[in-house]
Amino acid sequence: MNQKTFSEIREQIEEWIKLDYIYPEDIPSIELYMDQITTFMEKQLQGNKRHEEDKILTKTMINNYSKNNLLPPSDKKKYSKDHIILLIYIYYLKNFLSINDIQNLLNPMTDTYFQKSDGVTMSDIYKDLFELEQQYGIHVRKSIEEVYQIANCQFEENEDYLKTFAMITMLSYDIYAKKQLVEKLIDSLQPSPSTKAELKEAKELAKQKEKKEKA
């Protein structure tokens, strides 16, 4: 296959940056078994694959997320709507964050909002963030167009490789800088050592109290 010219790339960019989303109203409200979840995610997000053989979500992935405390345990092998929402977040975050970072980011979410039936729920949060992401997507598309124009003007008309390389370099710097910021923001969410010790002590006391009540 011949290398695409930079002008041909311009024609493809809009298509390439289109993403499949899972709309809030499309997330099942009923509990699902693992097979049903993997089928649902595959159907909803298959357009995001780089290669046809890539997998969006597998049973092994779900089991690993549970083992690494990214995902609360299922209820008799059934997963709730909140489980699915967490899996959606993990699907996107795992592309540029470590398991530890994802855990640190999502733990406060599960501790505060998982399976909550009153007040602000995870469904409410997902809906609000989905709307924000759709709005921000307009800005992202405009910024990519700007990067294309800068790269296109930097080199001669026939220097397609250098234009493409320049565009890749600028986009990579943008990704790197934002990844650095995301990691620092996650670090800022973590409690201080003294607070961690207090939380650990409180958990131990709660466990002891629970044992006494069962005795």
Side-chain angles (χ1 to χ4, degrees), residues 155-199:
F155 297 99
E156 298 297 330
E157 184 176 343
N158 63 338
E159 293 179 320
D160 292 317
Y161 167 76
L162 292 179
K163 291 180 181 182
T164 304
F165 187 80
M167 187 172 183
I168 291 170
T169 302
M170 286 187 286
L171 290 172
S172 298
Y173 174 80
D174 184 66
I175 293 168
Y176 179 77
K178 289 177 178 175
K179 181 176 182 289
Q180 291 283 94
L181 177 58
V182 166
E183 290 172 346
K184 297 299 183 185
L185 289 171
I186 292 173
D187 292 342
S188 75
L189 293 173
Q190 303 311 302
S192 64
S194 59
T195 305
K196 285 182 178 179
E198 291 171 3
L199 289 172

mmCIF file of all heavy atoms in Angstrom, residues 155-199:
data_model
loop_
_atom_site.group_PDB
_atom_site.id
_atom_site.type_symbol
_atom_site.label_atom_id
_atom_site.label_comp_id
_atom_site.label_asym_id
_atom_site.label_seq_id
_atom_site.Cartn_x
_atom_site.Cartn_y
_atom_site.Cartn_z
ATOM 1 N N PHE A 155 6.722 22.842 5.868
ATOM 2 C CA PHE A 155 7.599 22.207 4.877
ATOM 3 C C PHE A 155 7.061 22.400 3.457
ATOM 4 O O PHE A 155 5.917 22.825 3.269
ATOM 5 C CB PHE A 155 7.740 20.713 5.192
ATOM 6 C CG PHE A 155 8.394 20.445 6.527
ATOM 7 C CD1 PHE A 155 7.625 20.138 7.641
ATOM 8 C CD2 PHE A 155 9.772 20.524 6.669
ATOM 9 C CE1 PHE A 155 8.216 19.899 8.875
ATOM 10 C CE2 PHE A 155 10.372 20.286 7.891
ATOM 11 C CZ PHE A 155 9.604 19.979 8.999
ATOM 12 N N GLU A 156 7.920 22.054 2.489
ATOM 13 C CA GLU A 156 7.547 22.222 1.084
ATOM 14 C C GLU A 156 6.408 21.277 0.703
ATOM 15 O O GLU A 156 6.151 20.280 1.385
ATOM 16 C CB GLU A 156 8.767 21.955 0.181
ATOM 17 C CG GLU A 156 9.935 22.907 0.397
ATOM 18 C CD GLU A 156 9.580 24.352 0.055
ATOM 19 O OE1 GLU A 156 8.724 24.548 -0.838
ATOM 20 O OE2 GLU A 156 10.148 25.265 0.671
ATOM 21 N N GLU A 157 5.785 21.584 -0.408
ATOM 22 C CA GLU A 157 4.576 20.863 -0.833
ATOM 23 C C GLU A 157 4.804 19.361 -0.987
ATOM 24 O O GLU A 157 3.933 18.558 -0.668
ATOM 25 C CB GLU A 157 4.069 21.451 -2.145
ATOM 26 C CG GLU A 157 2.759 20.843 -2.612
ATOM 27 C CD GLU A 157 2.231 21.523 -3.861
ATOM 28 O OE1 GLU A 157 2.682 22.646 -4.175
ATOM 29 O OE2 GLU A 157 1.367 20.922 -4.516
ATOM 30 N N ASN A 158 5.972 18.958 -1.460
ATOM 31 C CA ASN A 158 6.222 17.534 -1.742
ATOM 32 C C ASN A 158 6.843 16.793 -0.547
ATOM 33 O O ASN A 158 7.180 15.615 -0.661
ATOM 34 C CB ASN A 158 7.125 17.386 -2.971
ATOM 35 C CG ASN A 158 8.505 18.006 -2.758
ATOM 36 O OD1 ASN A 158 8.651 18.872 -1.899
ATOM 37 N ND2 ASN A 158 9.475 17.567 -3.552
ATOM 38 N N GLU A 159 7.010 17.448 0.591
ATOM 39 C CA GLU A 159 7.636 16.812 1.750
ATOM 40 C C GLU A 159 6.571 16.216 2.677
ATOM 41 O O GLU A 159 6.411 16.611 3.841
ATOM 42 C CB GLU A 159 8.514 17.829 2.489
ATOM 43 C CG GLU A 159 9.720 18.265 1.661
ATOM 44 C CD GLU A 159 10.586 19.294 2.382
ATOM 45 O OE1 GLU A 159 10.009 20.197 3.033
ATOM 46 O OE2 GLU A 159 11.817 19.189 2.293
ATOM 47 N N ASP A 160 5.859 15.235 2.147
ATOM 48 C CA ASP A 160 4.733 14.648 2.885
ATOM 49 C C ASP A 160 5.173 13.955 4.170
ATOM 50 O O ASP A 160 4.499 14.046 5.196
ATOM 51 C CB ASP A 160 3.978 13.650 1.994
ATOM 52 C CG ASP A 160 3.255 14.334 0.846
ATOM 53 O OD1 ASP A 160 2.637 15.376 1.101
ATOM 54 O OD2 ASP A 160 3.315 13.832 -0.281
ATOM 55 N N TYR A 161 6.317 13.244 4.094
ATOM 56 C CA TYR A 161 6.796 12.542 5.291
ATOM 57 C C TYR A 161 7.108 13.523 6.411
ATOM 58 O O TYR A 161 6.712 13.314 7.561
ATOM 59 C CB TYR A 161 8.035 11.706 4.976
ATOM 60 C CG TYR A 161 8.730 11.222 6.228
ATOM 61 C CD1 TYR A 161 8.216 10.160 6.974
ATOM 62 C CD2 TYR A 161 9.888 11.860 6.693
ATOM 63 C CE1 TYR A 161 8.824 9.739 8.148
ATOM 64 C CE2 TYR A 161 10.506 11.439 7.869
ATOM 65 C CZ TYR A 161 9.975 10.385 8.586
ATOM 66 O OH TYR A 161 10.574 9.980 9.757
ATOM 67 N N LEU A 162 7.818 14.605 6.085
ATOM 68 C CA LEU A 162 8.191 15.579 7.110
ATOM 69 C C LEU A 162 6.969 16.267 7.698
ATOM 70 O O LEU A 162 6.919 16.552 8.904
ATOM 71 C CB LEU A 162 9.160 16.612 6.528
ATOM 72 C CG LEU A 162 10.545 16.089 6.160
ATOM 73 C CD1 LEU A 162 11.402 17.203 5.571
ATOM 74 C CD2 LEU A 162 11.230 15.479 7.382
ATOM 75 N N LYS A 163 5.974 16.528 6.872
ATOM 76 C CA LYS A 163 4.733 17.136 7.367
ATOM 77 C C LYS A 163 4.019 16.183 8.325
ATOM 78 O O LYS A 163 3.547 16.590 9.389
ATOM 79 C CB LYS A 163 3.812 17.484 6.193
ATOM 80 C CG LYS A 163 4.320 18.619 5.322
ATOM 81 C CD LYS A 163 3.345 18.894 4.184
ATOM 82 C CE LYS A 163 3.854 20.023 3.297
ATOM 83 N NZ LYS A 163 2.901 20.341 2.215
ATOM 84 N N THR A 164 3.953 14.916 7.931
ATOM 85 C CA THR A 164 3.303 13.917 8.786
ATOM 86 C C THR A 164 4.077 13.743 10.080
ATOM 87 O O THR A 164 3.488 13.663 11.165
ATOM 88 C CB THR A 164 3.195 12.565 8.053
ATOM 89 O OG1 THR A 164 2.505 12.753 6.815
ATOM 90 C CG2 THR A 164 2.432 11.548 8.901
ATOM 91 N N PHE A 165 5.416 13.694 9.970
ATOM 92 C CA PHE A 165 6.256 13.541 11.153
ATOM 93 C C PHE A 165 6.083 14.737 12.088
ATOM 94 O O PHE A 165 6.015 14.572 13.318
ATOM 95 C CB PHE A 165 7.723 13.401 10.741
ATOM 96 C CG PHE A 165 8.633 13.081 11.890
ATOM 97 C CD1 PHE A 165 8.734 11.782 12.368
ATOM 98 C CD2 PHE A 165 9.379 14.077 12.504
ATOM 99 C CE1 PHE A 165 9.568 11.479 13.437
ATOM 100 C CE2 PHE A 165 10.211 13.785 13.571
ATOM 101 C CZ PHE A 165 10.312 12.489 14.038
ATOM 102 N N ALA A 166 6.006 15.929 11.525
ATOM 103 C CA ALA A 166 5.812 17.136 12.332
ATOM 104 C C ALA A 166 4.475 17.086 13.067
ATOM 105 O O ALA A 166 4.381 17.440 14.248
ATOM 106 C CB ALA A 166 5.883 18.377 11.448
ATOM 107 N N MET A 167 3.455 16.630 12.367
ATOM 108 C CA MET A 167 2.136 16.542 12.991
ATOM 109 C C MET A 167 2.143 15.522 14.122
ATOM 110 O O MET A 167 1.593 15.760 15.201
ATOM 111 C CB MET A 167 1.086 16.173 11.941
ATOM 112 C CG MET A 167 -0.344 16.229 12.465
ATOM 113 S SD MET A 167 -1.573 16.026 11.156
ATOM 114 C CE MET A 167 -3.074 16.250 12.124
ATOM 115 N N ILE A 168 2.775 14.373 13.886
ATOM 116 C CA ILE A 168 2.878 13.341 14.912
ATOM 117 C C ILE A 168 3.638 13.872 16.125
ATOM 118 O O ILE A 168 3.242 13.648 17.276
ATOM 119 C CB ILE A 168 3.573 12.084 14.357
ATOM 120 C CG1 ILE A 168 2.666 11.381 13.330
ATOM 121 C CG2 ILE A 168 3.937 11.108 15.485
ATOM 122 C CD1 ILE A 168 3.343 10.279 12.546
ATOM 123 N N THR A 169 4.726 14.596 15.884
ATOM 124 C CA THR A 169 5.536 15.144 16.973
ATOM 125 C C THR A 169 4.736 16.123 17.826
ATOM 126 O O THR A 169 4.767 16.065 19.060
ATOM 127 C CB THR A 169 6.786 15.848 16.411
ATOM 128 O OG1 THR A 169 7.554 14.922 15.637
ATOM 129 C CG2 THR A 169 7.656 16.386 17.535
ATOM 130 N N MET A 170 4.008 17.015 17.174
ATOM 131 C CA MET A 170 3.215 18.007 17.916
ATOM 132 C C MET A 170 2.091 17.353 18.705
ATOM 133 O O MET A 170 1.843 17.695 19.866
ATOM 134 C CB MET A 170 2.667 19.066 16.956
ATOM 135 C CG MET A 170 3.716 20.055 16.476
ATOM 136 S SD MET A 170 3.002 21.416 15.508
ATOM 137 C CE MET A 170 2.641 20.572 13.973
ATOM 138 N N LEU A 171 1.413 16.391 18.090
ATOM 139 C CA LEU A 171 0.338 15.688 18.796
ATOM 140 C C LEU A 171 0.906 14.871 19.956
ATOM 141 O O LEU A 171 0.292 14.794 21.031
ATOM 142 C CB LEU A 171 -0.414 14.766 17.829
ATOM 143 C CG LEU A 171 -1.280 15.452 16.775
ATOM 144 C CD1 LEU A 171 -1.808 14.419 15.776
ATOM 145 C CD2 LEU A 171 -2.439 16.207 17.407
ATOM 146 N N SER A 172 2.093 14.289 19.752
ATOM 147 C CA SER A 172 2.718 13.489 20.810
ATOM 148 C C SER A 172 3.113 14.365 21.995
ATOM 149 O O SER A 172 2.959 13.965 23.155
ATOM 150 C CB SER A 172 3.957 12.758 20.272
ATOM 151 O OG SER A 172 3.596 11.860 19.245
ATOM 152 N N TYR A 173 3.605 15.561 21.709
ATOM 153 C CA TYR A 173 3.950 16.483 22.800
ATOM 154 C C TYR A 173 2.695 16.844 23.583
ATOM 155 O O TYR A 173 2.709 16.900 24.820
ATOM 156 C CB TYR A 173 4.597 17.754 22.248
ATOM 157 C CG TYR A 173 4.832 18.780 23.337
ATOM 158 C CD1 TYR A 173 5.928 18.675 24.185
ATOM 159 C CD2 TYR A 173 3.931 19.825 23.534
ATOM 160 C CE1 TYR A 173 6.128 19.593 25.204
ATOM 161 C CE2 TYR A 173 4.120 20.741 24.556
ATOM 162 C CZ TYR A 173 5.225 20.621 25.385
ATOM 163 O OH TYR A 173 5.397 21.532 26.403
ATOM 164 N N ASP A 174 1.613 17.069 22.874
ATOM 165 C CA ASP A 174 0.342 17.408 23.525
ATOM 166 C C ASP A 174 -0.110 16.271 24.440
ATOM 167 O O ASP A 174 -0.519 16.500 25.586
ATOM 168 C CB ASP A 174 -0.711 17.683 22.445
ATOM 169 C CG ASP A 174 -2.034 18.140 23.021
ATOM 170 O OD1 ASP A 174 -2.085 19.239 23.606
ATOM 171 O OD2 ASP A 174 -3.015 17.383 22.920
ATOM 172 N N ILE A 175 -0.018 15.040 23.932
ATOM 173 C CA ILE A 175 -0.401 13.866 24.729
ATOM 174 C C ILE A 175 0.500 13.738 25.952
ATOM 175 O O ILE A 175 0.027 13.498 27.067
ATOM 176 C CB ILE A 175 -0.321 12.586 23.870
ATOM 177 C CG1 ILE A 175 -1.392 12.616 22.777
ATOM 178 C CG2 ILE A 175 -0.489 11.334 24.740
ATOM 179 C CD1 ILE A 175 -1.199 11.551 21.715
ATOM 180 N N TYR A 176 1.818 13.901 25.736
ATOM 181 C CA TYR A 176 2.779 13.740 26.831
ATOM 182 C C TYR A 176 2.536 14.774 27.928
ATOM 183 O O TYR A 176 2.505 14.432 29.128
ATOM 184 C CB TYR A 176 4.199 13.868 26.296
ATOM 185 C CG TYR A 176 5.265 13.748 27.372
ATOM 186 C CD1 TYR A 176 5.598 12.505 27.893
ATOM 187 C CD2 TYR A 176 5.922 14.886 27.853
ATOM 188 C CE1 TYR A 176 6.572 12.384 28.883
ATOM 189 C CE2 TYR A 176 6.889 14.773 28.845
ATOM 190 C CZ TYR A 176 7.207 13.528 29.350
ATOM 191 O OH TYR A 176 8.153 13.423 30.333
ATOM 192 N N ALA A 177 2.356 16.021 27.530
ATOM 193 C CA ALA A 177 2.145 17.092 28.510
ATOM 194 C C ALA A 177 0.862 16.856 29.306
ATOM 195 O O ALA A 177 0.831 17.019 30.538
ATOM 196 C CB ALA A 177 2.087 18.443 27.800
ATOM 197 N N LYS A 178 -0.191 16.436 28.614
ATOM 198 C CA LYS A 178 -1.470 16.205 29.300
ATOM 199 C C LYS A 178 -1.406 14.967 30.190
ATOM 200 O O LYS A 178 -2.021 14.935 31.260
ATOM 201 C CB LYS A 178 -2.595 16.087 28.278
ATOM 202 C CG LYS A 178 -2.932 17.425 27.620
ATOM 203 C CD LYS A 178 -3.993 17.307 26.543
ATOM 204 C CE LYS A 178 -4.311 18.674 25.959
ATOM 205 N NZ LYS A 178 -5.262 18.606 24.828
ATOM 206 N N LYS A 179 -0.662 13.955 29.748
ATOM 207 C CA LYS A 179 -0.491 12.761 30.578
ATOM 208 C C LYS A 179 0.237 13.121 31.870
ATOM 209 O O LYS A 179 -0.123 12.647 32.951
ATOM 210 C CB LYS A 179 0.277 11.687 29.814
ATOM 211 C CG LYS A 179 0.496 10.387 30.592
ATOM 212 C CD LYS A 179 1.183 9.355 29.723
ATOM 213 C CE LYS A 179 1.376 8.031 30.469
ATOM 214 N NZ LYS A 179 2.387 8.116 31.527
ATOM 215 N N GLN A 180 1.283 13.938 31.753
ATOM 216 C CA GLN A 180 2.013 14.391 32.933
ATOM 217 C C GLN A 180 1.080 15.110 33.901
ATOM 218 O O GLN A 180 1.113 14.889 35.118
ATOM 219 C CB GLN A 180 3.142 15.336 32.526
ATOM 220 C CG GLN A 180 4.283 14.682 31.782
ATOM 221 C CD GLN A 180 5.202 13.902 32.719
ATOM 222 O OE1 GLN A 180 5.030 12.697 32.902
ATOM 223 N NE2 GLN A 180 6.161 14.580 33.308
ATOM 224 N N LEU A 181 0.224 15.968 33.348
ATOM 225 C CA LEU A 181 -0.719 16.719 34.177
ATOM 226 C C LEU A 181 -1.733 15.794 34.835
ATOM 227 O O LEU A 181 -2.040 15.935 36.027
ATOM 228 C CB LEU A 181 -1.435 17.775 33.322
ATOM 229 C CG LEU A 181 -2.525 18.598 34.033
ATOM 230 C CD1 LEU A 181 -1.953 19.332 35.243
ATOM 231 C CD2 LEU A 181 -3.165 19.586 33.057
ATOM 232 N N VAL A 182 -2.255 14.833 34.060
ATOM 233 C CA VAL A 182 -3.225 13.880 34.608
ATOM 234 C C VAL A 182 -2.613 13.114 35.784
ATOM 235 O O VAL A 182 -3.250 12.936 36.825
ATOM 236 C CB VAL A 182 -3.695 12.889 33.513
ATOM 237 C CG1 VAL A 182 -4.433 11.705 34.129
ATOM 238 C CG2 VAL A 182 -4.611 13.608 32.526
ATOM 239 N N GLU A 183 -1.367 12.669 35.638
ATOM 240 C CA GLU A 183 -0.708 11.928 36.713
ATOM 241 C C GLU A 183 -0.544 12.787 37.965
ATOM 242 O O GLU A 183 -0.741 12.311 39.092
ATOM 243 C CB GLU A 183 0.649 11.412 36.232
ATOM 244 C CG GLU A 183 0.522 10.301 35.195
ATOM 245 C CD GLU A 183 1.847 9.913 34.558
ATOM 246 O OE1 GLU A 183 2.826 10.668 34.724
ATOM 247 O OE2 GLU A 183 1.893 8.856 33.894
ATOM 248 N N LYS A 184 -0.185 14.066 37.778
ATOM 249 C CA LYS A 184 -0.040 14.972 38.921
ATOM 250 C C LYS A 184 -1.388 15.218 39.594
ATOM 251 O O LYS A 184 -1.483 15.311 40.829
ATOM 252 C CB LYS A 184 0.570 16.298 38.479
ATOM 253 C CG LYS A 184 1.984 16.188 37.917
ATOM 254 C CD LYS A 184 2.959 15.647 38.945
ATOM 255 C CE LYS A 184 4.374 15.607 38.391
ATOM 256 N NZ LYS A 184 5.332 14.976 39.344
ATOM 257 N N LEU A 185 -2.439 15.315 38.805
ATOM 258 C CA LEU A 185 -3.779 15.517 39.363
ATOM 259 C C LEU A 185 -4.216 14.299 40.173
ATOM 260 O O LEU A 185 -4.828 14.437 41.241
ATOM 261 C CB LEU A 185 -4.782 15.793 38.240
ATOM 262 C CG LEU A 185 -4.669 17.158 37.554
ATOM 263 C CD1 LEU A 185 -5.562 17.210 36.313
ATOM 264 C CD2 LEU A 185 -5.048 18.283 38.508
ATOM 265 N N ILE A 186 -3.906 13.106 39.666
ATOM 266 C CA ILE A 186 -4.218 11.879 40.414
ATOM 267 C C ILE A 186 -3.453 11.851 41.731
ATOM 268 O O ILE A 186 -3.998 11.514 42.784
ATOM 269 C CB ILE A 186 -3.900 10.630 39.571
ATOM 270 C CG1 ILE A 186 -4.872 10.533 38.394
ATOM 271 C CG2 ILE A 186 -3.992 9.360 40.427
ATOM 272 C CD1 ILE A 186 -4.544 9.433 37.409
ATOM 273 N N ASP A 187 -2.163 12.249 41.685
ATOM 274 C CA ASP A 187 -1.362 12.302 42.909
ATOM 275 C C ASP A 187 -1.963 13.264 43.921
ATOM 276 O O ASP A 187 -1.911 13.025 45.135
ATOM 277 C CB ASP A 187 0.076 12.725 42.590
ATOM 278 C CG ASP A 187 0.838 11.674 41.798
ATOM 279 O OD1 ASP A 187 0.394 10.501 41.785
ATOM 280 O OD2 ASP A 187 1.865 12.022 41.184
ATOM 281 N N SER A 188 -2.543 14.364 43.426
ATOM 282 C CA SER A 188 -3.115 15.363 44.330
ATOM 283 C C SER A 188 -4.355 14.858 45.052
ATOM 284 O O SER A 188 -4.762 15.424 46.071
ATOM 285 C CB SER A 188 -3.468 16.645 43.555
ATOM 286 O OG SER A 188 -4.640 16.464 42.766
ATOM 287 N N LEU A 189 -4.962 13.780 44.519
ATOM 288 C CA LEU A 189 -6.156 13.204 45.147
ATOM 289 C C LEU A 189 -5.812 12.288 46.314
ATOM 290 O O LEU A 189 -6.691 11.936 47.103
ATOM 291 C CB LEU A 189 -6.951 12.393 44.110
ATOM 292 C CG LEU A 189 -7.597 13.166 42.967
ATOM 293 C CD1 LEU A 189 -8.199 12.186 41.954
ATOM 294 C CD2 LEU A 189 -8.672 14.108 43.479
ATOM 295 N N GLN A 190 -4.543 11.900 46.410
ATOM 296 C CA GLN A 190 -4.163 10.935 47.429
ATOM 297 C C GLN A 190 -4.018 11.590 48.793
ATOM 298 O O GLN A 190 -3.499 12.706 48.895
ATOM 299 C CB GLN A 190 -2.842 10.250 47.052
ATOM 300 C CG GLN A 190 -2.879 9.554 45.705
ATOM 301 C CD GLN A 190 -4.113 8.667 45.574
ATOM 302 O OE1 GLN A 190 -4.325 7.770 46.366
ATOM 303 N NE2 GLN A 190 -4.923 8.941 44.560
ATOM 304 N N PRO A 191 -4.486 10.921 49.856
ATOM 305 C CA PRO A 191 -4.372 11.481 51.210
ATOM 306 C C PRO A 191 -2.923 11.515 51.670
ATOM 307 O O PRO A 191 -2.070 10.779 51.167
ATOM 308 C CB PRO A 191 -5.192 10.503 52.056
ATOM 309 C CG PRO A 191 -5.191 9.227 51.297
ATOM 310 C CD PRO A 191 -5.159 9.626 49.848
ATOM 311 N N SER A 192 -2.632 12.387 52.630
ATOM 312 C CA SER A 192 -1.292 12.485 53.194
ATOM 313 C C SER A 192 -0.989 11.213 53.984
ATOM 314 O O SER A 192 -1.895 10.472 54.354
ATOM 315 C CB SER A 192 -1.195 13.700 54.108
ATOM 316 O OG SER A 192 -2.076 13.539 55.213
ATOM 317 N N PRO A 193 0.307 10.945 54.278
ATOM 318 C CA PRO A 193 0.665 9.743 55.058
ATOM 319 C C PRO A 193 -0.076 9.650 56.387
ATOM 320 O O PRO A 193 -0.499 8.568 56.786
ATOM 321 C CB PRO A 193 2.168 9.912 55.264
ATOM 322 C CG PRO A 193 2.615 10.721 54.077
ATOM 323 C CD PRO A 193 1.485 11.660 53.791
ATOM 324 N N SER A 194 -0.243 10.804 57.061
ATOM 325 C CA SER A 194 -0.931 10.786 58.354
ATOM 326 C C SER A 194 -2.401 10.426 58.185
ATOM 327 O O SER A 194 -2.973 9.669 58.977
ATOM 328 C CB SER A 194 -0.807 12.147 59.042
ATOM 329 O OG SER A 194 -1.369 13.173 58.228
ATOM 330 N N THR A 195 -3.013 10.943 57.121
ATOM 331 C CA THR A 195 -4.422 10.630 56.846
ATOM 332 C C THR A 195 -4.576 9.163 56.481
ATOM 333 O O THR A 195 -5.545 8.513 56.881
ATOM 334 C CB THR A 195 -4.970 11.509 55.700
ATOM 335 O OG1 THR A 195 -4.753 12.887 56.018
ATOM 336 C CG2 THR A 195 -6.461 11.270 55.499
ATOM 337 N N LYS A 196 -3.621 8.627 55.713
ATOM 338 C CA LYS A 196 -3.655 7.205 55.358
ATOM 339 C C LYS A 196 -3.617 6.336 56.602
ATOM 340 O O LYS A 196 -4.339 5.335 56.698
ATOM 341 C CB LYS A 196 -2.476 6.862 54.447
ATOM 342 C CG LYS A 196 -2.609 7.347 53.008
ATOM 343 C CD LYS A 196 -1.410 6.900 52.184
ATOM 344 C CE LYS A 196 -1.556 7.336 50.736
ATOM 345 N NZ LYS A 196 -0.383 6.934 49.920
ATOM 346 N N ALA A 197 -2.763 6.731 57.555
ATOM 347 C CA ALA A 197 -2.647 5.964 58.795
ATOM 348 C C ALA A 197 -3.957 6.000 59.579
ATOM 349 O O ALA A 197 -4.401 4.995 60.138
ATOM 350 C CB ALA A 197 -1.512 6.526 59.649
ATOM 351 N N GLU A 198 -4.586 7.162 59.590
ATOM 352 C CA GLU A 198 -5.868 7.306 60.288
ATOM 353 C C GLU A 198 -6.945 6.459 59.628
ATOM 354 O O GLU A 198 -7.760 5.822 60.308
ATOM 355 C CB GLU A 198 -6.292 8.781 60.298
ATOM 356 C CG GLU A 198 -5.413 9.662 61.180
ATOM 357 C CD GLU A 198 -5.718 11.138 60.994
ATOM 358 O OE1 GLU A 198 -6.649 11.445 60.226
ATOM 359 O OE2 GLU A 198 -5.035 11.970 61.610
ATOM 360 N N LEU A 199 -6.951 6.457 58.284
ATOM 361 C CA LEU A 199 -7.940 5.663 57.551
ATOM 362 C C LEU A 199 -7.725 4.170 57.802
ATOM 363 O O LEU A 199 -8.688 3.414 57.972
ATOM 364 C CB LEU A 199 -7.843 5.965 56.050
ATOM 365 C CG LEU A 199 -8.325 7.341 55.589
ATOM 366 C CD1 LEU A 199 -7.976 7.569 54.118
ATOM 367 C CD2 LEU A 199 -9.831 7.486 55.794
#
